Amino acid sequence: MSLWREVTDNLAEGIGRSRWGDDEATLRVLHPEAYFRHMPGVGAPLIVPNLVEGAGPVRLKGYFFLGPRGVEYVVLSEDAEDDDVDVLPCVHALAHRFGFGPITDSKRQVWVVHGVQVLLQLFAPHEEGGPLSEFHLRVNHPGVIQNDFRIFEVPVSVKVDVA
């Protein structure tokens, strides 16, 4: 199966070539390099390396969390192997591209762009005075607005009584 799509910068449609209604099979066709990775306390998102291009020297990976209606939310994060790379220019480029901002010095920032909630968490530099080398940018499914600041959902365990 082959699937070709234009890249979108409209967060109400999706991110890159991915769309909110996409299921796992569609995402795997669009991104054959995608893989699942178990993240303790978070679940097992489908991870897509190099999801967003044009963010400067920083490569971005996307963590796709899927549900019954397709993609529930996506977390973008740097895929830099070098801790000396300053990711702040990348964050500014994403803000310009996707229409959120302004970016401030606050470690936690939230915007709503065309009905899509965007949450940004900036992490302190590894060394005092060093470059900002890590961030997480969560993009929620259109219309989903969180009241509290969480980048990753913690799955709820369901207790089943066996009779």
Side-chain angles (χ1 to χ4, degrees):
M1 180 169 127
S2 176
L3 182 64
W4 185 88
R5 264 191 201 147
E6 290 285 332
V7 170
T8 184
D9 291 340
N10 180 347
L11 294 179
E13 291 179 8
I15 296 176
R17 291 183 296 142
S18 307
R19 302 295 184 264
W20 291 110
D22 289 348
D23 59 10
E24 176 191 345
T26 303
L27 289 171
R28 286 186 173 278
V29 169
L30 288 167
H31 308 284
E33 70 281 12
Y35 60 94
F36 280 104
R37 186 178 113 207
H38 179 71
M39 298 173 65
V42 173
L46 183 66
I47 299 175
V48 177
N50 299 317
L51 178 64
V52 178
E53 297 179 5
V58 178
R59 295 181 309 152
L60 295 174
K61 59 185 167 187
Y63 298 82
F64 284 80
F65 290 85
L66 303 169
R69 62 182 172 179
V71 178
E72 295 292 331
Y73 68 98
V74 178
V75 176
L76 296 177
S77 181
E78 76 292 332
D79 198 6
E81 296 176 6
D82 184 3
D83 287 342
D84 294 335
V85 174
D86 185 0
V87 298
L88 202 50
C90 170
V91 172
H92 283 282
L94 290 172
H96 178 74
R97 180 174 181 172
F98 293 124
F100 63 88
I103 307 298
T104 67
D105 291 339
S106 176
K107 298 297 180 202
R108 293 180 168 190
Q109 302 172 53
V110 180
W111 305 272
V112 176
V113 180
H114 305 294
V116 178
Q117 188 179 40
V118 178
L119 298 91
L120 173 66
Q121 184 171 15
L122 301 173
F123 294 89
H126 293 290
E127 296 177 8
E128 190 170 333
L132 183 69
S133 60
E134 188 175 352
F135 75 94
H136 289 146
L137 182 75
R138 175 177 172 150
V139 182
N140 283 332
H141 190 283
V144 174
I145 305 295
Q146 297 173 213
N147 293 325
D148 58 335
F149 191 94
R150 323 178 284 290
I151 295 296
F152 294 105
E153 297 289 328
V154 178
V156 177
S157 298
V158 178
K159 183 178 177 183
V160 178
D161 291 326
V162 179

